[in-house]
Amino acid sequence: MTVFADRPELQEKVSRMLAEVPERLAGASDVAVLAYGGELPSEALLHCVSRLSRSYRVLVVLPERGSSQVPELLRAGALGFIGDNCDEQEFHDALAIVARGAVYVASGSRAALTGVTASAPAEPPAQQVLTRREQEVLSWIADGYTHSQAARRMGLSGATVDTYVKRIRAKLEVRNKAELTRKAIELGIVRREPLLAAA
C-alpha cells in the first residue's frame, strides 16, 4: 500500500492506521491512500487521483468540507471515500472494500454523491428502469465482481451477463464501471450494506 498526503499530520495518522492493518489486508499492495487535508487546489487533487488510478485502486481520505468533491473524484477513478476523522475500524473496512475493486462511500459523503438539485427531473424508480435480473447483475458488478464472477454466482453464462451489462449501460446511459457503480448507489442497488459505511 502506498500513502500520499498533503499534510504531515494526515500522513502520520494514515501511516499509523496502516501499521495496524489486519493480516488479511497485508497483500493489498495495489491500493493507494490519498489523504487530502485541503492544502492542494481541487484541480490538483483530481489530477492526482486520475494519475494514481492508472496503477492503483485509490482510497481518498477527505475532510468533511471536501465531500462535495466525491462525484468528481469518482469520475477521476477513485473507489473509496472516508472522512479524515474516521476511526481505525472504518479505515480498515474501506481499505478491504477498495482492495476488492468495489466502491466504499462514507455516510458523510453519500449526500454529495446521490443528491439531486430541485431543478433536476426526478429519477424513475429502479424497478421501472431495470428488470429484476438487471438489478441483480448491477448489484454484483457494483460490489466489485467481474462479469464472470457474477455469472458464476447467478448460475448464468458469462455471455449472458455481458449482454445484461450492455443493456444496463444503455438504459442508464453510462460508459464505464465507475459510472455504473455510481448509478447503482444512486438507485439504491447495492448487494451488501458494508459497501456504504454506517453513520
Side-chain angles (χ1 to χ4, degrees), residues 68 71 110-123 182 186:
S68 62
R110 281 185 234 161
L113 185 62
T114 61
V116 286
T117 62
S119 61
E123 276 290 344
R182 178 175 182 234
E186 287 175 0

Side-chain angles (χ1 to χ4, degrees), residues 103-178:
V103 174
Y104 183 97
V105 182
S107 60
S109 301
R110 281 185 234 161
L113 185 62
T114 61
V116 286
T117 62
S119 61
E123 276 290 344
Q127 292 77 9
Q128 294 176 8
V129 176
L130 302 176
T131 66
R132 182 190 59 77
R133 202 63 152 164
E134 288 167 345
Q135 290 177 54
E136 187 180 356
V137 169
L138 180 55
S139 70
W140 285 112
I141 300 301
D143 201 24
Y145 290 88
T146 65
H147 293 195
S148 59
Q149 290 169 331
R152 279 195 300 275
R153 281 165 176 73
M154 294 175 69
L156 302 172
S157 72
T160 301
V161 169
D162 289 344
T163 301
Y164 276 125
V165 172
K166 284 177 190 170
R167 283 187 204 157
I168 294 165
R169 284 184 172 162
K171 286 182 178 183
L172 300 180
E173 298 177 355
V174 297
R175 295 182 308 265
N176 56 43
K177 185 175 179 179

Side-chain angles (χ1 to χ4, degrees), residues 27-51:
S29 59
D30 63 343
V31 176
V33 179
L34 180 58
Y36 177 70
E39 301 295 316
L40 292 171
S42 59
E43 299 80 30
L45 175 63
L46 288 169
H47 179 72
C48 287
V49 168
S50 180
R51 295 287 305 262

Side-chain angles (χ1 to χ4, degrees), residues 93-105:
D93 290 347
L95 201 58
I97 290 167
V98 168
R100 279 198 346 252
V103 174
Y104 183 97
V105 182

